[in-house]
Amino acid sequence: MSKYDETLDLCFSALGDPTRRKILQRLARGEATVSELAEPHNMALPSFMEHLKKLESANLITSKKKGRTRMCKLAPNAFAPTRDWLTEQSDIWDGRLDRFDNYIKNLMQERSK
């Protein structure tokens, strides 16, 4: 099992909010300004910036200033820690279910004898 990783907690926390998931969906299509990202959300800009800050602290997005405009984009391999953890958990449960299935099959064979 993976060692404890604080970045995984930050990532899942960031993904737990629908506004942040919508931001990530938009950034999956390419880089965008903060104004473009904020437009569909009915909230004050300081509140919206907190969402961006949380995504950035979770290493899901990066941002940089271009003149007076702040541009955001998905971070390279943004979802790798989450994907890796989920894959590991899936492998563990697949193994458990396979062993359980074998146990049930053996039990049924013994009872039929």
Side-chain angles (χ1 to χ4, degrees):
M1 187 171 283
S2 293
K3 295 180 181 176
Y4 174 76
D5 187 358
E6 184 180 337
T7 59
L8 195 58
D9 290 346
L10 292 171
C11 189
F12 276 114
S13 178
L15 292 171
D17 183 86
T19 299
R20 291 191 285 271
R21 289 192 304 270
K22 287 179 185 175
I23 293 168
L24 292 170
Q25 285 177 321
R26 167 53 191 89
L27 291 175
R29 296 193 319 258
E31 191 175 50
T33 67
V34 169
S35 298
E36 288 175 77
L37 293 171
E39 184 182 337
H41 304 281
N42 187 22
M43 66 179 67
L45 190 57
S47 298
F48 185 77
M49 292 301 291
E50 287 298 315
H51 287 289
L52 293 181
K53 189 185 303 182
K54 188 139 188 178
L55 289 169
E56 208 159 0
S57 70
N59 297 318
L60 294 172
I61 68 168
T62 60
S63 68
K64 64 182 174 190
K65 292 242 344 178
K66 283 187 180 178
R68 295 178 54 178
T69 305
R70 180 161 296 278
M71 301 297 294
C72 298
K73 66 180 181 178
L74 283 177
N77 296 315
F79 300 103
T82 307
R83 182 196 61 233
D84 294 346
W85 185 84
L86 289 171
T87 299
E88 184 178 319
Q89 296 307 305
S90 178
D91 292 345
I92 289 168
W93 281 99
D94 285 346
R96 288 176 179 171
L97 290 172
D98 288 345
R99 288 189 299 277
F100 183 65
D101 187 47
N102 288 337
Y103 172 76
I104 296 297
K105 286 178 182 175
N106 289 337
L107 194 60
M108 296 300 283
Q109 285 177 351
E110 287 177 15
R111 285 189 177 180
S112 67
K113 290 181 181 178

